[in-house]
Each structure stands twice: as C-alpha cells, then as structure tokens.
Amino acid sequence: MTSSEELQISDVSVLSAAGVGLDALRERLREPAAAGTAPGGEPSAADADHYVGLPGRVAAVPDFKITDYVPRKGTKNLDRTTALGLAASTLLKRDLSARADISDASWESTGIAMGTVVGSLRSSVDLDVDIIEGQGIDLINPAVFPNTTMNCCASQIAIWHRLRGPNSTLANGTVSALSALRYAARLIRCGHARRMLVGGVEELSPHTAWGTRLKKDVQESVVIGEGAAMVALEPAGPDAPPALATVTACEVMFAPQRTQAGYAEALRRAVARALESCAAAGVDVRLILPGAVGTVLEQSEESALEQFDVERVDVRTAVGECGGALGAMQLAAAVALGRPGTGVLITGIDDSGAVAAAVLTIGGRS
C-alpha cells in the first residue's frame, strides 16, 4: 500500500469478550498470560445445552443487548453478527459526530468495509433447517432472510446510519479486517470516499464454536469468543483532527504453497514490504501483535518474525478466537497499547493461504 497521501485512524470502537471500549480491551491485554482467567460473559441460556461436551471454553460480549445502542424498533429480526457490528458503528459514529469539523453532509461520502469469515453462519444454518424440517421455502419468515447474506451487517450499518459511500464486505478468513483496511485505503485514495468505517465482526454461536473445535486449527486452551471492532479511516493532514494512529503500511498477500514453510515465506515477504514503508517514513517498530498464536500456524508466523526482538502481545488469547474480527481487534489493540511515535506491526495468517502485515504509527492521542 503505497501513496503520497497519508491515511489516519481518527477513532476506534470495540466490543469484545473483554467488554466494551478501549479501556476494557487495554486492561485485558495487560493481564498476565499466566492468570488463566476466561474473558467475557456467558452465552445465552437458550444455547447452553448446545455447548455441552464442547472442548474448551466460550465467551460472549458481556451483557450485550443491541437496544442499549439503538432504539428497539427494527431490531427484532437482527442476527447477532449484525447487532454487534451495528453497536460498534453506533459508538464510532457517536464519537465522530461530536467533532466540529464533521457535517451531516459528510456522511453522504462515508463508506463501510467490514471483514468477516462467512457472515452469520447461524442464520444460514437455521434458515436451512426451517426449510428442510418446516413447511418449505414458501413459509419461512422473509424478514430473517437478509441475515443469511454475508453483506447483511455492512448493509444494515449503512441503512441505520444513512451512510451513502461504498459498502463492502470482505471475507478473507482471520485477516479479513486487514484486507478491509487495505481496500478502504484504496477507495479513499482513488476518490471514491471521504471517510471509511473499517472493521471486522464475528458472532459466538454453537455453530462457529463446534466448527472451530472440530477443525482443530485452534488450541483448546484458547477461548472461543466474539466481537466487533471498527476504526474511522480518513486522510491525514493539517486540517485533520489529532490522529490515534497513521496507517504506515498494509500488505495482503497469498501463499501459493499451503505448508508451514510456504506460509512463513509469504508472511516474510509481506512483512518485508511493510518494513520498506516504515523505513521510508522513519518509523521504528516497537510492538508486534501476532495473529497466529495458539493455532497450528503459529510456527510459520514465528519463523517470519524471528528477526524482531521487541515486545509481543497475543490478542487472540486476550479476547478469544473471533474469526474475521481478529484483525480489527488487533487494530484496536495497537491503538490501546502503542506508544506515541512508534510503530506497531500487526500480522496474520489464514489457512486459506492469505497472509497480512500492517504497521500503525501511533499518534499522540489515545
């Protein structure tokens, strides 16, 4: 990602198993890894039986209710993925709207780029079950059908907040949010949007929990979590508000060979390209937020990062396995933990072959 125009993160919102907001995330990230405490709240009572026998633990966003964020009308048929994303966007827009430099008209050119794995898996499965076990496709509730589409969350955010800019959903596994960041940056630089709300979302459900455990890509010691995080991406400059961070680099690549060595080499190339941007900007990386700790791809990531002797923080262990929201949690964690003026390297590998490396240069406001 190269361009003479710098882009900055002006605001962040986050809901995770650690709680709501950057302070809750920061506190959880700073807890000793040996503490062994499980983050988050309990899943709904209606789902309790579906987790019986599931290896490991699960953790939901504590005490989450969408009506704490938006009026009740229109929320009856929202799935949890959409509700989490809508809540995160509501918090973000609320903070942005308090700025004197943002007019109502500017929302006409504000877009969305959301990362996810498959959207709401639960909604898709439940709809199929209703069709197969019920009375056929003609008698299903049409109000729940939009929940089965992968772009439901981003679309609902745009509808609720009247955002008229580009509306995009990117599915690239655990690096989906970093892919969304790179895509959003290109949209702004090409003049398609004035501002982009960028993030990732993943819901906790028996479907995702059992699927994750049966796949065995994530260690049982890692909690299955959920969450949504979003950042406001805007051009930097003298007229811009104080930045939480500047996006110095964001590289997304693919490993042609899906082996430990192949993943490592692809990530190594992505990191090298990101570091070239750092060198050009005079940025020194002082913190790494790896994305594959606690997974079968941890060895590949370690190999790609062996040159670094700096502090590392494991975001996945702190907030739980959260699929397509992981990259967004890493972005929020970078803002929460990074020291002003230094670089934070965010990396990720998905077993599909996608790899990503991004560097944020932390601003003076946090």
Side-chain angles (χ1 to χ4, degrees):
M1 185 180 73
T2 58
S3 173
S4 58
E5 182 181 33
E6 281 193 334
L7 297 177
Q8 70 176 44
I9 291 175
S10 302
D11 267 296
V12 178
S13 66
V14 56
L15 297 90
S16 71
V20 178
L22 277 182
D23 289 342
L25 179 62
R26 184 184 294 113
E27 181 179 353
R28 177 62 190 172
L29 289 165
R30 286 176 173 168
E31 289 181 8
T37 55
E42 296 294 324
S44 68
D47 282 338
D49 290 345
H50 297 292
Y51 294 104
V52 174
L54 179 75
R57 297 169 295 181
V58 299
V61 175
D63 305 316
F64 176 71
K65 293 187 295 184
I66 186 56
T67 50
D68 290 339
Y69 301 88
V70 297
R72 179 178 298 275
K73 184 177 181 181
T75 62
K76 178 181 177 181
N77 293 305
L78 293 181
D79 64 276
R80 192 169 179 88
T81 293
T82 301
L84 288 167
L86 181 57
S89 66
T90 299
L91 292 174
L92 191 60
K93 188 182 179 186
R94 187 179 300 163
D95 289 344
L96 291 170
S97 297
R99 282 172 30 191
D101 63 309
I102 292 185
S103 64
D104 290 341
S106 74
W107 300 114
E108 296 283 330
S109 56
T110 298
I112 303 165
M114 288 294 287
T116 183
V117 174
V118 293
S120 176
L121 177 60
R122 178 176 199 148
S123 296
S124 297
V125 172
D126 286 352
L127 182 70
D128 290 343
V129 170
D130 285 345
I131 293 172
I132 295 170
E133 296 184 351
Q135 300 182 49
I137 196 169
D138 294 334
L139 296 178
I140 63 168
N141 180 3
V144 302
F145 176 76
N147 298 337
T148 68
T149 62
M150 195 168 59
N151 66 328
C152 180
C153 179
S155 299
Q156 284 293 330
I157 290 172
I159 292 168
W160 279 80
H161 297 308
R162 300 180 181 179
L163 309 180
R164 304 299 178 89
N167 190 287
S168 310
T169 299
L170 292 91
N172 207 12
T174 57
V175 301
S176 294
L178 298 179
S179 298
L181 179 67
R182 181 176 174 84
Y183 179 69
R186 186 161 66 247
L187 288 177
I188 293 175
R189 286 171 173 155
C190 290
H192 299 301
R194 182 174 179 178
R195 178 188 307 111
M196 291 292 293
L197 307 187
V198 186
V201 60
E202 203 72 48
E203 68 181 11
L204 172 67
S205 73
H207 310 73
T208 55
W210 277 101
T212 300
R213 292 305 188 209
L214 292 173
K215 195 176 181 184
K216 296 183 178 181
D217 282 351
V218 179
Q219 296 171 6
E220 288 185 13
S221 59
V222 178
V223 175
I224 304 295
E226 67 173 356
M230 299 189 76
V231 303
L233 187 67
E234 303 177 281
D239 298 327
L244 291 176
T246 299
V247 181
T248 304
C250 187
E251 303 293 338
V252 180
M253 296 184 177
F254 187 77
Q257 295 182 334
R258 292 167 59 183
T259 63
Q260 290 286 353
Y263 290 123
E265 178 57 29
L267 182 58
R268 196 175 290 115
R269 287 189 288 110
V271 170
R273 288 188 59 173
L275 292 180
E276 288 177 6
S277 299
C278 289
V283 175
D284 192 15
V285 171
R286 292 296 181 182
L287 174 65
I288 297 178
L289 303 178
V293 179
T295 75
V296 295
L297 298 174
E298 182 174 357
Q299 179 183 342
S300 295
E301 188 173 51
E302 281 293 319
S303 177
L305 298 176
E306 60 186 359
Q307 62 178 300
F308 293 95
D309 184 20
V310 298
E311 181 185 6
R312 300 189 187 189
V313 176
D314 175 14
V315 177
R316 177 184 271 105
T317 296
V319 300
E321 167 60 35
C322 49
L326 176 64
M329 296 295 171
Q330 290 172 290
L331 292 173
V335 172
L337 297 180
R339 295 191 298 274
T342 64
V344 179
L345 173 62
I346 298 169
T347 60
I349 309 177
D350 188 72
D351 61 5
S352 66
V355 302
V359 177
L360 300 188
T361 304
I362 306 303
R365 181 171 67 93
S366 62

